[in-house]
Amino acid sequence: MKCRVCGKQANIRLPQYNTALCSEDFTLFFEKRVATTIRKYRLIGEEEKTLVAVSGGKDSLSLWRLLNGLGISADGIYIDLGIHEYSRVSFEKTKAMAESLRRTLYSFSLPDAFTKGIKDLSGIMRRPPCSLCGMIKRYVMNRACIEHGYSVLATGHNLDDEASALLGNLLHWKEEYLWKKGVSLDAEGAHLARKVKPLFLCSEKETAAYAVMTGIDYVYEECPYSVGAKTLLYKGLLNRAEEESPTTKLVFMKGYLKRVRQGGLTKDEREPKSLCGACGYPSYAELCSFCRLMERFGTTDTLSFSIHTHSPS
Ligand code: Q46
Ligand code: ZN
């Protein structure tokens, strides 16, 4: 198998593009694809302060380094979920990337804020770990953006993440979530930063190959709570379909983006309209879910909400 560009030995086959590439040409191809996605969907404007949600995994670390390589000055935020060795290693790799990029890293620790990790919190709150984790991450990352002056939050969601989530929502007809799966979500007022997904059109296989080929030191283990998650089932189904028809995921998600652009999917009316009485961020009720969690654990003073700043040495 020869590289379609230079004719050398190819290192990756990309049947969805009917091509095969060597490491160097694949790296250029991947970076160009992300740059094109950013430009085409106007994800990040020139001079916009950008914060990257970093977990220590291949997608977020690749995204962080790639954005800075494209000339977009992006800092990072990491959430320590208190999952022992997994969290420790993830944080180490994230800090190492921050140092090598010489960018600021913010961090928020569940054990510090609540004296418990995600597993214990989930048991006490009788809420699945991923649901609670999603709520905490959304809140903390958005608040970090607003309080530190970032207008954009970039996440490492890739094509497989987005296609499997959309498929899950469609299979259960969760219409209220359909409009949210786009490549970007607009800012709202002074309390919600814009969210963007520059890897939206890059498959998991591509991001993993990019991370390996460019020598990114990422945590290989997945979060233990991802095992058994429904999204893995949907990812498996889509991979099976992709084997038979290699453009399945791209066609699915590009068709979705077209519908969003044409206004075929509209925002859910039940989105929060009021502001939390304690922290002042968007909320469905008098107190937002995050402040209720704070209250439940005896830390009603929301000033105890703390994001640590690690500046490059
Ligand atoms: S939601 Fe669930 Fe992930 Fe949070 S608890 Fe782990 S698997 S990290 S993206
Ligand atoms: Zn609140």
Side-chain angles (χ1 to χ4, degrees), residues 148-181:
H148 291 274
Y150 295 88
S151 51
V152 189
L153 176 70
T155 61
H157 292 98
N158 61 41
L159 180 67
D160 294 53
D161 296 328
E162 294 304 299
S164 59
L166 179 62
L167 179 63
N169 287 335
L170 285 172
L171 288 174
H172 296 95
W173 281 113
K174 290 187 178 167
E175 291 176 69
E176 70 275 23
Y177 295 131
L178 292 186
W179 66 277
K180 276 189 171 179
K181 292 282 151 218

Side-chain angles (χ1 to χ4, degrees), residues 3 33 58 66 119 128 137 160 172 201 209-210 213 228 270:
C3 170
R33 188 150 185 81
K58 64 184 187 320
L66 204 160
K119 180 170 182 271
K137 280 189 195 165
D160 294 53
H172 296 95
L201 296 175
Y210 179 79
M213 288 176 190
R270 285 164 292 181

